[in-house]
Amino acid sequence: MVAIRTRSRIGPSAAGGSIVIPIAAPLLADEEADAARAVVLSGWVSQGPQVAAFEDEFAALVGAQHACAVANCTTALQLALAALGIGRGDEVITVSHSFIATANVIRYQGATPVFVDIEPETYNLDCARLAEAITERTRAIIAVHQMGMPCDMAALMAVARRHGIAVIEDAACAAGSQICMNGKWEAIGKPHGDIACFSFHPRKVITTGEGGMLTTSDAELDRKFRLLRQHGMSVPDIVRHGSQRVIFEEYLLVGYNYRMTDMQAAIGRKQLERLPQLIAQRRALASRYAELLGNIEGLRLPFEPAWARSNWQSYCVRLPDRLDQRAMMQSLLDQGIATRRGIMCSHREPPYAGTVSRHDLRQSEIAQDHAILLPLYAQMDSADQDRIVDAVKRELAR
Ligand SMILES: *Cc1c(COP(=O)(O)O)cnc(C)c1O
């Protein structure tokens, strides 16, 4: 394997010429480049045999009956809502505290997002507050496994089933995360709700540049995803292409072009091979952070419940209230260390001003304003991690 680039080549270089430690870095190498090259030279580059193989391998990895690849997780989430028939007049409960795509897909469908607050320990939807948000219009819940930390699916499903509400898991960040259900460890994506949606953006644990996946146990939903992602076409182009007989396709519904390419899928298959190792490295780094940053007055480390195993897509620490988040992030950046502020809150962005929520979103706002994400990527070495820890400790001691 060639040397893997772990340093960002873009962005500011810090004073004194030291190199920036990026917030994240995808692990892509010769294996992925060779796989993409083979597809380029194969004569079939759009959705085809590589996408089909990637779907099968992804389904096997998470223990799902069906997996359908799409262009990204935003389109996956939209297709999940569309396949469930959710549209105008319907309410969909989710968190404001998430990347804005989680809320946007509800709007794409003409439905109304209803935001609930998060629990401060896991940064995930507070299931104890779900009931307050449910009305006779509620059709679905989008449960986010934020930063790869599994959401409490046992508690959430109990409420959802009682009210007959569909559950979509926004597992954008959660490839490789696990949850213990009825005494058994299972991969996120089995799924534990009706549909789970994944992202393969470079900021996630495995990447195809852009890419997404839907998993479900429901053959009918899977059939709808496949129609919707490809213009509603009754026969995919690859089938027509390979047929000895003339086939006329039909367009059964108003679909989209949300396909993944075979080049992306070929890269994704190599990334899946790496996933167990990537997670082992990330988990080791996360526990080392916990060891080195534990027992610091006022600093709250991320909490992993006994029934959850995070893939640690991000490592989020809550700063003491007295510290200025932006000033601390700037000071770390000046020392060559990139961080990010806590996860955004959609209700504070212009498109969602005045959005319905049936209680205040205090914990969501506190998390955005007082948490920061520290760098974490599989190929980070302990010297880099020590540098980050030392810098954070110095800031906290000020
Ligand atoms: C990244 C992300 C998305 C969007 O994924 P894309 O593949 O970039 O469309 C959606 N939800 C969450 C929680 C995310 O982190």
Side-chain angles (χ1 to χ4, degrees), residues 39 44-56 58 67-73 75-76 79 198-201 206-214 225-226 229-230 237 256-269 272:
V39 174
W44 191 279
V45 290
S46 62
Q47 178 184 289
Q50 291 295 325
V51 167
F54 185 36
E55 290 171 341
D56 289 348
F58 192 87
C68 177
V70 287
N72 53 60
C73 185
T75 56
L79 292 195
F198 293 87
S199 171
F200 307 118
H201 182 273
I206 52 174
T207 185
T208 57
E210 297 278 357
M213 191 76 78
L214 296 116
F225 303 154
R226 287 167 196 283
R229 76 170 168 183
Q230 180 148 295
D237 44 7
Y256 305 89
N257 178 358
Y258 286 172
R259 290 176 298 226
M260 176 182 275
T261 69
D262 257 23
M263 287 164 293
Q264 292 168 300
I267 292 170
R269 295 178 69 191
L272 285 187

Side-chain angles (χ1 to χ4, degrees), residues 71-77 97-102 144-147 170-173 198-201 203-204 210-212 313 343:
N72 53 60
C73 185
T74 307
T75 56
L77 290 164
H97 177 268
S98 183
F99 183 57
I100 198 159
T102 310
V144 183
H145 301 299
Q146 194 54 264
M147 298 180 271
D170 180 343
C173 301
F198 293 87
S199 171
F200 307 118
H201 182 273
R203 182 67 183 83
K204 321 298 183 188
E210 297 278 357
Q313 182 267 341
I343 301 294

